[in-house]
Amino acid sequence: MSNSGLRILLLGAPGAGKGTQAALLAKTLKVPHISTGDMFRAAKAAGSPMGVMARKYMERGELVPDKVTIGIVEERLKQKDTAHGWILDGFPRTPGQAAALDDLLARLHQQLDAVVKLTVPREELIRRLTGRRVCPDCGANYHVDSAPPKKDGVCDRCAHALEQREDDSEATVMHRLDVYNESTRPLIAFYEKKGVLHRIDGTQPVNVVNAEVVAAARAGAKAPVKAR
Ligand code: AMP
């Protein structure tokens, strides 16, 4: 059985900081960061048939159907660079995806070390998401109030014009949060029952959240397999 490396899943509402934490964690632990949202955005930008299809759901703040989403994750987790661990960000998001992940990991002889749930109040999620600005060129993230670029609307790193994500408009953000509550929230109890869930306060400074996530991941890796 292949047990080396760390396999961590980040759960939490849109805007809870999963992407930021996953990127930091991937760097620290030297494992790939697998974000289904990033995969769909890349497919959309490339104009592939899957991207064109996914776009219709993404711009409305809806979930891309399970069959497609499970398919891309399955393909990704079979690639060689994931053999020694990974950070999953934004997947699973439905009970069907969670069941499919269990099944896939059993077939790959892998197991989850930790599921980290980042908790942030709804008002703060709305503030973060509606104020978010992204650089379409280098991927840098900003916030109009709490992390503004030096020059208004321009990326500090590469000087490209910043954009608001199509799905960060206020109406779509509200819908995404409702979709999270309805479809994804039940996964908290699912992973709690398995004994792998760690709850972390996502309103703390980024470096504090990161330290707590790393500690949770390492504690999870040391826990007896039976308890999972
Ligand atoms: P994110 O960047 O994780 O907020 O994802 C952006 C959008 O991509 C979501 O609002 C969904 O439309 C789609 N998406 C990302 N991950 C999933 C998933 N696991 N299941 C279904 N749709 C997803």
Side-chain angles (χ1 to χ4, degrees):
M1 184 172 282
S2 159
N3 277 330
S4 56
L6 284 174
R7 298 181 179 88
I8 298 148
L9 200 157
L10 293 179
L11 265 187
K18 299 187 299 296
T20 303
Q21 291 301 327
L24 288 172
L25 210 51
K27 223 170 155 188
T28 311
L29 303 175
K30 299 187 177 57
V31 293
H33 169 193
I34 301 174
S35 153
T36 41
D38 285 351
M39 287 156 91
F40 285 134
R41 276 184 289 278
K44 193 177 97 173
S48 71
M50 195 264 279
V52 170
M53 186 278 290
R55 180 180 187 161
K56 285 190 266 169
Y57 295 91
M58 294 167 80
E59 62 191 12
R60 294 198 306 258
E62 300 281 351
L63 295 181
V64 177
D66 274 2
K67 201 164 170 239
V68 179
T69 311
I70 290 165
I72 62 163
V73 172
E74 174 149 3
E75 213 174 281
R76 184 67 186 90
L77 286 184
K78 285 181 175 166
Q79 287 170 17
K80 267 201 185 138
D81 65 327
T82 63
H84 300 294
W86 36 254
I87 315 292
L88 265 181
D89 155 20
F91 181 93
R93 259 168 146 113
T94 65
Q97 293 179 13
L101 180 64
D102 266 4
D103 179 61
L104 175 63
L105 295 183
R107 279 186 278 134
L108 294 173
H109 303 296
Q110 295 185 0
Q111 63 204 10
L112 265 174
D113 291 305
V115 175
V116 174
K117 155 77 168 58
L118 298 176
T119 302
V120 173
R122 186 178 171 95
E123 289 315 304
E124 173 62 5
L125 294 169
I126 295 169
R127 189 195 73 80
R128 288 184 182 183
L129 291 167
T130 55
R132 175 162 65 183
R133 297 294 180 270
V134 294
C135 174
D137 202 43
C138 73
N141 267 276
Y142 298 88
H143 188 278
V144 288
D145 300 320
S146 46
K150 288 194 188 90
K151 191 173 164 208
D152 204 21
V154 178
C155 181
D156 290 347
R157 273 206 235 154
C158 69
H160 200 284
L162 298 180
E163 290 178 356
Q164 183 173 35
R165 255 172 63 170
E166 235 171 1
D167 55 351
D168 280 345
S169 67
E170 194 163 340
T172 311
V173 161
M174 299 298 186
H175 186 56
R176 286 164 67 201
L177 294 177
D178 291 344
V179 168
Y180 169 80
N181 281 329
E182 196 173 308
S183 304
T184 313
R185 193 178 280 285
L187 302 190
I188 300 170
F190 177 82
Y191 287 113
E192 191 150 46
K193 260 194 208 146
K194 286 179 182 285
V196 288
L197 189 79
H198 301 258
R199 285 187 169 83
I200 290 177
D201 174 1
T203 63
Q204 304 175 97
V206 171
N207 59 329
V208 176
V209 176
N210 177 242
E212 292 191 5
V213 175
V214 171
R218 296 211 159 117
K222 282 195 206 118
V225 174
K226 251 197 323 198
R228 295 175 187 187

